């Protein structure tokens, strides 16, 4: 198998990097986006720097890493991480919960880069590639495309192709891959692995049944914890829109807005923690029937993610406010409760709906901040 088979979805090859950069630099959309995110940039200096890059590694280490670090430093109270000893020296499929459209994989890769490790390839839905320059940029940044919105007839073909590609990257190129545990973000932070993702991963492998195919990917769960989600009010608004109109669907402009607010909004503290590789736990599911096996793998991944969250005062406060209790009061102060209530009010004020249901929206935001704690407590009991 070779890269040529996957040219339609794979990241750019290094030989195409120079041309892609030249095309980006004359694209008005790219220029506008860079100046929006980095308003003080000198375009001529930026262009001449970009034109020095000949490989994806050059681009990621010299342009993406400093930009993501600058964004993280500006929009968070600090990025910390733990569990790196779990990675070993294997190529792995890193499966994580999904909080931010861009930063989940972006921060993972700047942390890897800082530790002298190769960056992962990144799975990204093609629904986010709203402009041609975005596709060019993400493929320059080692992303491969997940085809969405295809017909039912094409879905199997597209899924096999992606499955083959992920197995190829891990088992032949010996590189790691990052994949979210589900399509899209969990709007209420109730993180569950989508079984269709696991079925896709098992569609293709050199040999073996379902369990062997999953084992060959060396899956390592990763828990991503942001203290605050700058898109929380947008997610709450979407819950109300869907409640009031079950046919409601987000427009492309909403995806762009979520990307922008996720990138530039305040996130508080950020922690990335690796769980244990799941291979040792897969032996026990061999005897289950086919459908049960997929559910069992999803539960194993979920448990690792749920056990490895980082918790902040707002998670405990949200849990207690939702339950009208003071069970976790030792984890926060009265001042922190007042600050969080004020934060929620400000976020809800940003929602522009004619029939704004404030109690409903408030509850949805409380669920977002408390579900991680609920899932952790459940996982500890298991």
């Amino acid at each position: 198998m070779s890269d040529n088979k996957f040219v339609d979805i794979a990241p750019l090859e290094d030989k195409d990097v120079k041309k892609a950069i030249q095309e980006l630099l004359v694209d008005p959309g790219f220029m506008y986006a860079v100046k929006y995110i980095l308003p003080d940039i000198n375009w001529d200096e930026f262009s001449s720097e970009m034109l020095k890059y000949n490989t994806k590694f050059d681009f990621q280490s010299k342009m993406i890493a400093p930009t993501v670090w600058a964004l993280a430093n500006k929009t968070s109270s600090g990025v910390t991480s733990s569990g790196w000893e779990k990675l070993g020296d294997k190529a792995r499929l890193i499966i994580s919960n999904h909080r931010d459209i861009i930063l989940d994989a972006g921060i993972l890769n700047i942390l890897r880069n800082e530790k002298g490790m190769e960056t992962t390839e990144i799975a990204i839905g093609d629904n986010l590639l709203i402009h041609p320059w975005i596709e060019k940029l993400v493929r320059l940044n080692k992303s491969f495309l997940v085809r969405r919105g295809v017909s039912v007839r094409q879905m199997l073909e597209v899924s096999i192709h992606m499955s083959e590609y992920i197995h190829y990257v891990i088992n032949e190129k010996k590189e790691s891959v990052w994949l979210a545990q589900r399509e899209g973000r969990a709007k209420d932070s109730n993180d569950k692995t989508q079984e269709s993702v696991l079925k896709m991963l098992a569609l293709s492998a050199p040999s073996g049944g379902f369990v062997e195919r999953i084992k060959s990917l060396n899956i390592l769960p990763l828990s991503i914890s942001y203290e605050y989600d700058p898109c929380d009010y947008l997610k709450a608004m979407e819950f109300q829109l869907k409640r009031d109109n079950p046919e409601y669907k987000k427009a492309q402009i909403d995806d762009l807005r979520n990307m922008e607010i996720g990138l530039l909004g305040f996130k508080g503290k950020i922690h990335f923690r690796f769980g244990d590789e799941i291979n040792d736990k897969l032996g026990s599911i061999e005897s289950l029937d086919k459908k049960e096996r997929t559910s069992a793998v999803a539960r194993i991944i979920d448990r690792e993610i749920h056990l490895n969250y980082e918790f902040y005062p707002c998670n405990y406060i949200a849990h207690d406010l939702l339950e009208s209790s003071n069970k976790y009061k030792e984890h926060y102060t009265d001042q922190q409760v007042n600050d969080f209530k004020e934060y929620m009010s400000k976020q809800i004020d940003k929602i522009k709906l004619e029939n704004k249901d404030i109690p409903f929206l408030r509850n949805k935001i409380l669920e977002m901040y408390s579900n991680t704690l609920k899932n952790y407590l459940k996982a500890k009991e298991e």
Side-chain angles (χ1 to χ4, degrees), residues 19-32:
K19 181 172 180 281
I21 286 173
Q22 288 165 348
E23 289 170 357
L24 278 173
L25 290 171
V26 294
D27 189 300
F30 176 69
M31 191 184 296
Y32 174 81

Side-chain angles (χ1 to χ4, degrees), residues 24-26 30-31 34-35 41-48:
L24 278 173
L25 290 171
V26 294
F30 176 69
M31 191 184 296
V34 171
K35 288 182 173 176
I41 202 157
N42 177 315
W43 186 257
D44 292 336
E45 283 176 16
F46 174 77
S47 299
S48 60

Side-chain angles (χ1 to χ4, degrees), residues 20-179:
I21 286 173
Q22 288 165 348
E23 289 170 357
L24 278 173
L25 290 171
V26 294
D27 189 300
F30 176 69
M31 191 184 296
Y32 174 81
V34 171
K35 288 182 173 176
Y36 187 79
I37 291 170
L38 305 167
D40 302 327
I41 202 157
N42 177 315
W43 186 257
D44 292 336
E45 283 176 16
F46 174 77
S47 299
S48 60
E49 176 61 28
M50 284 270 279
L51 289 166
K52 292 175 190 169
Y53 307 148
N54 297 304
T55 64
K56 294 189 293 295
F57 177 75
D58 287 346
F59 176 71
Q60 285 195 303
S61 59
K62 295 172 183 168
M63 180 60 66
I64 294 294
T67 304
V68 175
W69 272 123
L71 269 169
N73 292 333
K74 190 175 169 185
T75 67
S76 80
S77 313
V79 178
T80 53
S81 60
S82 54
W84 289 93
E85 69 283 357
K86 312 276 179 74
L87 274 82
D89 54 5
K90 291 181 191 172
R92 298 186 169 282
L93 177 59
I94 295 169
I95 294 187
S96 79
N97 57 321
H98 194 15
R99 287 287 178 270
D100 185 85
I101 296 169
I102 297 169
L103 288 176
D104 291 351
I107 291 173
L108 170 64
N109 276 335
I110 59 173
L111 291 169
R112 285 177 72 98
N113 184 59
E114 191 180 53
K115 291 182 178 294
M117 301 168 82
E118 272 200 47
T119 52
T120 66
E121 290 203 7
I122 303 161
I124 185 166
D126 65 356
N127 57 304
L128 300 174
L129 311 180
I130 294 156
H131 305 296
W133 67 263
I134 298 179
E135 178 168 339
K136 217 165 274 165
L137 181 67
V138 299
R139 291 176 88 163
L140 195 53
N141 191 37
K142 270 179 88 170
S143 296
F144 61 93
L145 309 185
V146 178
R147 298 283 181 210
R148 301 240 168 92
V150 295
S151 68
V152 176
R153 190 177 55 78
Q154 292 170 299
M155 183 54 77
L156 181 61
E157 195 182 305
V158 162
S159 297
I160 289 170
H161 190 49
M162 186 163 73
S163 184
E164 283 179 342
Y165 182 68
I166 291 170
H167 281 272
Y168 164 69
V169 174
I170 290 168
N171 294 307
E172 293 188 42
K173 282 173 75 177
K174 305 291 182 194
E175 289 194 34
S176 290
V177 169
W178 173 82
L179 180 67

